[in-house]
Amino acid sequence: MKTLNDFDFNGKTALIRVDFNVPLDDEQKVTDTTRIEAAKPTIMQVLNQGGSCVLMSHLGRPKNRDQKLSLEHIVSTAEQILGVKVLFVSDCIGEKPLQAVAELPKNSVLLLENLRFYTEEEQGDTSFAQSLAELGDIYVNDAFGTAHRAHASTAIIADYFKGKSCFGTLLASEITNVNRVMLNGESPVTAIIGGAKVSSKITIIERILDAVDHLIIGGGMAFTFIKAQGGSIGTSLVEDDKQELALNILELASAKGVEVHLPIDTVITQEFSNDSETDVAMIHEIPDGWMGLDAGPETRQKFSEVIHQSKTLLFNGPVGVFEMPTFAEGTIALCEAIALATKNGAFSLVGGGDSVAAVKQFNYDDQVSYVSTGGGAMLEMLEGKTLPGIAAVLNA
Ligand code: AMP
């Protein structure tokens, strides 16, 4: 895997695919700077070596040249975060950017206009990619958020940088951290898979059975397993057509020697509301008219014990409706257990979907080993898929 460390950027122009797809408010002000901050280490490494950076990104889903989605809106925020002047050119290919690059002083940063102003970007158009490729000496892909898309700037462009392509710091660390769970995790390896539906996690579960010793299943998706086992789940979330699949997973896990931990009890309520009355029921004995919305006390304790014994942890999906404070305690207890295990030397990866939102919301993001920055891309990596943006750099 080639990284920034394999190149000397002194006097060179790095053409860097970043993910500056940040949220904007009605006045086009950046409301969350996480993604710009995430790209900073790569940009600074190139600048510190005496190189220049040409940054390319998409922003939103523009139809034609929608000026509301111009990357010009993020220039001042990028300048604040990077601490350097950021030049902007209102195009991605052709005369204007070519000239801007030719005139680019050493140690400078130039941001191109939104790549998706060109339909060729998402089409993976080769001549568009070739034109972009004229804007740099070395191609760096640091856009994990779009690594699962075979777009011109993420996958196709690497063909024009044979031997001159590498991963940026962010993308390299995402790959390394996933591999640390999926390929060479120190045992015992535990995956905590929660969230709403079995159907959206099925591929991950099937793939993960080859990598883990323990599988904790929580959240709404657990009820499909419990019902399939003959339990009474009241009005809890269920996918009736996935019951057989759930039983197959349990069988497959047992054949592979993976210990599966399902909830023991659950916090129940009659209405999907933060203010509704709650009770606790055993997971197989939920009364009619009641639904389970959070992990119960015995479940929290059991799951935490498994987590404390683990050396490698993957957290994907909350174990309750954590958006409502009344049903957030189970997810908070798990975050706490993961943080403690991490403190005691375990490696913990939080990735894919709402578990990232949960660890951030409850302020555990700096108490785990790694929080992934890419929702869809991380899910696809955990599913064992080859991401086009990663494959392109590996093959270049
Ligand atoms: P996912 O995006 O698949 O990880 O699902 C996350 C969502 O699952 C969150 O919005 C949670 O509120 C929801 N969730 C977790 N536990 C439950 C539950 N017991 N019943 C209904 N929804 C749940």
Side-chain angles (χ1 to χ4, degrees):
M1 168 163 107
K2 274 201 178 140
T3 66
L4 296 177
N5 298 335
D6 292 295
F7 293 92
D8 178 4
F9 287 93
N10 189 18
K12 302 275 191 235
T13 303
L15 180 59
I16 310 177
R17 177 53 160 105
V18 289
D19 181 2
F20 281 180
N21 182 29
V22 291
L24 301 177
D25 65 15
D26 292 345
E27 290 167 355
Q28 275 69 49
K29 292 249 175 347
V30 179
T31 55
D32 181 348
T33 57
T34 312
R35 286 180 169 165
I36 304 176
E37 283 157 28
K40 185 173 176 178
T42 291
I43 295 165
M44 293 331 266
Q45 185 162 339
V46 172
L47 294 181
N48 290 339
Q49 279 188 10
S52 301
C53 300
V54 175
L55 308 180
M56 48 182 180
S57 176
H58 74 284
L59 177 62
R61 296 173 179 276
K63 293 222 160 54
N64 306 314
R65 286 186 170 255
D66 178 358
Q67 284 309 306
K68 283 195 185 133
L69 291 173
S70 168
L71 275 168
E72 191 167 15
H73 301 304
I74 71 147
V75 168
S76 61
T77 309
E79 285 183 334
Q80 275 165 23
I81 290 169
L82 300 175
V84 296
K85 174 125 194 75
V86 174
L87 304 166
F88 177 75
V89 58
S90 60
D91 212 337
C92 310
I93 56 168
E95 264 317 299
K96 269 198 236 169
L98 277 171
Q99 196 176 337
V101 170
E103 292 167 0
L104 194 62
K106 217 177 164 183
N107 289 102
S108 306
V109 177
L110 172 72
L111 176 64
L112 304 182
E113 182 53 286
N114 191 345
L115 289 163
R116 290 197 187 162
F117 281 5
Y118 286 83
T119 52
E120 290 91 335
E121 162 66 358
E122 290 187 79
Q123 289 161 353
D125 185 86
T126 46
S127 56
F128 180 63
Q130 194 172 8
S131 302
L132 288 172
E134 288 171 32
L135 303 173
D137 305 310
I138 298 162
Y139 170 65
V140 181
N141 190 354
D142 208 21
F144 182 60
T146 43
H148 56 318
R149 310 273 184 227
H151 295 169
S153 69
T154 59
I156 315 304
I157 194 170
D159 282 347
Y160 302 97
F161 290 94
K162 288 282 175 209
K164 288 181 181 173
S165 292
C166 69
F167 296 112
T169 310
L170 172 71
L171 189 35
S173 60
E174 294 278 355
I175 297 169
T176 306
N177 285 310
V178 171
N179 288 346
R180 214 169 146 181
V181 173
M182 300 301 279
L183 298 183
N184 39 31
E186 190 185 341
S187 274
V189 181
T190 298
I192 304 135
I193 311 282
K197 289 183 170 178
V198 181
S199 50
S200 64
K201 299 286 164 79
I202 187 67
T203 326
I204 295 186
I205 295 180
E206 283 170 348
R207 165 81 176 83
I208 218 153
L209 290 177
D210 290 323
V212 303
D213 305 291
H214 295 271
L215 172 62
I216 290 176
I217 298 176
M221 60 183 271
F223 294 106
T224 300
F225 288 81
I226 301 298
K227 187 169 180 189
Q229 288 177 332
S232 302
I233 60 161
T235 51
S236 304
L237 198 68
V238 67
E239 288 169 282
D240 279 324
D241 60 334
K242 295 290 180 292
Q243 289 188 58
E244 206 181 318
L245 189 65
L247 293 178
N248 289 344
I249 289 172
L250 296 178
E251 239 173 68
L252 192 63
S254 137
K256 288 180 187 275
V258 176
E259 223 176 298
V260 178
H261 307 273
L262 284 160
I264 302 164
D265 57 356
T266 175
V267 178
I268 55 169
T269 180
Q270 286 174 293
E271 276 170 56
F272 192 82
S273 145
N274 191 49
D275 306 320
S276 57
E277 203 184 306
T278 64
D279 204 343
V280 173
M282 299 312 283
I283 198 86
H284 287 97
E285 298 164 11
I286 301 176
D288 287 347
W290 292 72
M291 66 186 103
L293 291 187
D294 196 11
E298 283 189 51
T299 305
R300 292 175 208 172
Q301 184 162 355
K302 173 68 194 167
F303 286 1
S304 298
E305 278 167 19
V306 176
I307 289 168
H308 289 147
Q309 289 161 12
S310 303
K311 287 266 176 273
T312 306
L313 291 155
L314 168 70
F315 180 29
N316 177 293
V319 295
V321 184
F322 73 98
E323 297 93 338
M324 295 193 241
T326 308
F327 307 104
E329 292 303 320
T331 300
I332 294 174
L334 280 209
C335 290
E336 184 66 41
I338 295 168
L340 187 60
T342 310
K343 199 169 160 202
N344 291 334
F347 172 78
S348 54
L349 168 67
V350 182
D354 280 342
S355 37
V356 172
V359 291
K360 286 188 177 169
Q361 186 177 324
F362 304 126
N363 296 318
Y364 285 94
D365 43 342
D366 56 358
Q367 296 179 57
V368 296
S369 310
Y370 194 75
V371 181
S372 175
T373 58
M378 176 50 79
L379 282 180
E380 291 200 13
M381 270 178 101
L382 294 172
E383 288 172 351
K385 292 186 185 149
T386 307
L387 308 196
I390 293 175
V393 172
L394 291 177
N395 298 331

